[in-house]
Amino acid sequence: MPSLKTLDLFFERFPKYCLEYSNWPEGQAVAEHLVNSNLGTIEALYVYGLGAGAPYAQLTSWLEENEARRLIILEDDLGAIKAWLKLPIALEMLERNQVCIEAMTKDWQTALTRLAETHPCPAIDVVMLPSKKKEVYRRWKLHLMRRTTLASSLVFDRSQSHILYQNAVCNAEHLPHSFYAARLEGMCRGKPAIVCGAGPSLNDAIETLSQCDDKALLIAGGSAVAALSSRGIMPHFGIAVDPNVEEYHRFCDSKASGMPLLYSLRLHPDVFSMCSGPFGYMRSGIGGAFELWLDEALGLTEPLLGSTLSEEAISVTAMSVAWAHFLGCDPIYLAGVDLAYVGGRRYASGITHDPTSDGAVLALDRRVRRKNGEGKWVETAIRWVMEAASLAHFAGHHPNVRYYNTGLKGAVIENFPHRPLTECLTYPSWPFQANIASMIEQAKLPATAGAIVQEKLAELKASLEKTVSYLEVLAGQKSGNRILAEFDLEEELAVQLLFHDAAKTFSSSKQFWTDYLQMVLKFL
């Protein structure tokens, strides 16, 4: 029997096992070491298999080097957990808060999703003990990588929310001079579209694409704009949504300055200096409550673009496909959307800016193997597995449109069967450039947009200043009625739009109000 102290601590740390424990079978605790564990800059390590605590013993020094590191052990043999609790090492492991034990049951997806959200570290790895099932390990690893990517991106967005807000405030100045993309719905109904990615196979498509100006609608985002424009091809629409400076660098490579560019308010504002427009505001909701509030003030209430995209749609390619569908295009082709390292390369020619990591291998960049359109193994990454899944989900959700992938060397995308790009040359000609210019002219935002934007930004700034005043009282930095200040704080517009999740964000903080105040000051 486990010692009373060990069992009490186990139930204290993992109370969900209290009722289950008595039904667990008796088992054996077999010591097994990890064959290899190249930890590098890993922040959270998942180990499939308890191994009588041997993996912990092997990784103790790694945990001691950094208090923020986590070791999460996944065990699907409940008897092994019961046997491990009888060992002296169990108490040592339970006393270390860096160690988590997860009893894996049939509902493994829920358990792994919860763990990913509890430990949203962008740099994770998943390893296994030699005796464990490889097919289970591969399934769990892929799920953890994908869910952790989503969880860590949400945490990152929250930590950088003041920057996203600053981007939105800067970009709001462009609204009065922009066309409203939602007014173009169905304007290209029945016309073919080609969504271009920046994968290596785009090089093979350049000759055909150069003949498609009046045959199909060309849509590109980010790096694909640079790759096409460097070869003299001007997309009919560009799309830019990335709030990071990398997006600016991508457009520095671009020679398509006069291309119609769709943007969201969270876009890095320096991108506008690289383009001459026309600019189209894309109501997508990815800018959060602030963006939706501004939309409402401007009377923009049309459905959000890409509202049927899955949560794994983290790329501009998925948004481009949604835009083609919104315009009524059919069929929709993919070109240069390899979602794999083709010939060891990530990008097509014409892209000079390829940001390198700081040494940390993030979950979204972990490499896996997949079959390509030729039935050969190709190396891809978690980010592209997610992108392929999001594209497949969108196509499956809109089966009334035909979707094709023109490349064979990249990863297979479900619901996108292969068709040659040259097929686009057989379609009747249509003056895309002239018609798009006419559409844009008819889709201007209201003449009052500028005044409305300035009025709403001033209103929000005043609310931010009041929010700071209330928080200074609550943080003890100035005198005032704390109860009244807390009540008034919750009623403020800025709190409802920008800080509605503050309680969750600072739930573990020892100086809640001070940290809250510091965050709000960043917005001012």
Side-chain angles (χ1 to χ4, degrees), residues 454-472:
Q454 292 305 316
E455 177 190 340
K456 302 312 285 186
L457 291 181
E459 180 185 349
L460 187 53
K461 183 181 179 182
S463 181
L464 276 168
E465 290 170 346
K466 287 183 181 179
T467 299
V468 168
S469 179
Y470 297 140
L471 285 170
E472 286 175 338

Side-chain angles (χ1 to χ4, degrees), residues 274-439:
M274 293 292 103
C275 307
S276 58
F279 300 115
Y281 173 58
M282 185 172 57
R283 175 173 148 78
S284 61
I286 60 177
F290 167 74
E291 181 180 307
L292 297 175
W293 171 72
L294 207 53
D295 287 347
E296 185 179 352
L298 290 166
L300 311 180
T301 58
E302 287 76 7
L304 300 176
L305 178 66
S307 59
T308 56
L309 289 169
S310 72
E311 62 180 345
E312 291 193 313
I314 56 177
S315 76
V316 72
T317 303
M319 188 63 76
S320 299
V321 170
W323 174 239
H325 179 271
F326 181 81
L327 291 174
C329 294
D330 182 20
I332 298 172
Y333 294 85
L334 301 181
V337 184
D338 298 318
L339 307 185
Y341 294 92
V342 176
R345 297 184 61 193
R346 177 174 180 173
Y347 288 119
S349 304
I351 298 170
T352 59
H353 181 73
D354 183 2
T356 56
S357 71
D358 57 4
V361 180
L362 307 183
L364 76 168
D365 290 320
R366 287 280 173 180
R367 298 197 182 190
V368 293
R369 294 203 310 160
R370 288 290 184 273
K371 287 286 185 73
N372 68 7
E374 297 173 330
K376 300 176 182 177
W377 288 105
V378 64
E379 201 169 45
T380 181
I382 296 298
R383 68 166 75 233
W384 289 328
V385 171
M386 296 170 68
E387 186 172 336
S390 71
L391 291 170
H393 173 273
F394 186 85
H397 199 79
H398 300 281
N400 55 315
V401 173
R402 294 163 290 169
Y403 303 89
Y404 302 123
N405 191 353
T406 64
L408 285 170
K409 296 179 180 178
V412 170
I413 303 173
E414 190 179 344
N415 297 329
F416 281 78
H418 175 261
R419 294 292 279 269
L421 184 61
T422 51
E423 187 175 274
C424 292
L425 300 178
T426 66
Y427 290 103
S429 295
W430 196 66
F432 283 97
Q433 295 281 12
N435 281 316
I436 289 170
S438 176
M439 295 175 202

Side-chain angles (χ1 to χ4, degrees), residues 2 16 22 24 30 71 86 113 124 133 152 155 157 202 214 292 335 366 383-384 395 418 441 470 496 498 501 511:
K16 59 186 176 181
S22 59
W24 289 357
V30 180
L71 172 63
K86 301 174 185 177
T113 298
I124 71 165
K133 302 171 185 175
S152 62
V155 171
D157 274 4
L202 189 66
D214 62 349
L292 297 175
R366 287 280 173 180
R383 68 166 75 233
W384 289 328
H418 175 261
E441 193 59 36
Y470 297 140
Q496 295 167 14
L498 305 172
D501 59 348
Q511 44 182 15

Side-chain angles (χ1 to χ4, degrees), residues 10 17 20-21 23-32 47-53 73-85 101-106 108 129 131-133 136 140:
F10 180 63
Y17 300 138
E20 303 173 9
Y21 177 78
N23 295 322
W24 289 357
E26 296 294 336
Q28 288 186 325
V30 180
E32 281 188 278
V47 178
Y48 175 27
L50 184 51
I73 294 175
L74 312 173
E75 182 54 78
D76 53 3
D77 181 354
L78 303 182
I81 300 178
K82 207 167 189 177
W84 159 78
L85 283 166
I101 310 294
E102 186 69 27
M104 300 299 293
T105 59
K106 290 181 180 179
W108 59 270
L129 297 183
S131 66
K132 290 299 183 180
K133 302 171 185 175
V136 172
W140 289 2

Side-chain angles (χ1 to χ4, degrees), residues 9-87:
L9 187 54
F10 180 63
F11 291 149
E12 180 185 327
R13 288 202 55 200
F14 310 107
K16 59 186 176 181
Y17 300 138
C18 287
L19 299 177
E20 303 173 9
Y21 177 78
S22 59
N23 295 322
W24 289 357
E26 296 294 336
Q28 288 186 325
V30 180
E32 281 188 278
H33 289 268
L34 299 172
V35 176
N36 182 32
S37 56
N38 183 20
L39 297 174
T41 55
I42 296 301
E43 299 169 271
L45 179 67
Y46 291 83
V47 178
Y48 175 27
L50 184 51
Y56 164 76
Q58 189 176 342
L59 296 166
T60 302
S61 59
W62 173 73
L63 290 171
E64 289 174 347
E65 287 172 6
N66 189 334
E67 187 63 32
R69 289 174 177 168
R70 294 293 179 264
L71 172 63
I72 303 105
I73 294 175
L74 312 173
E75 182 54 78
D76 53 3
D77 181 354
L78 303 182
I81 300 178
K82 207 167 189 177
W84 159 78
L85 283 166
K86 301 174 185 177
L87 303 176

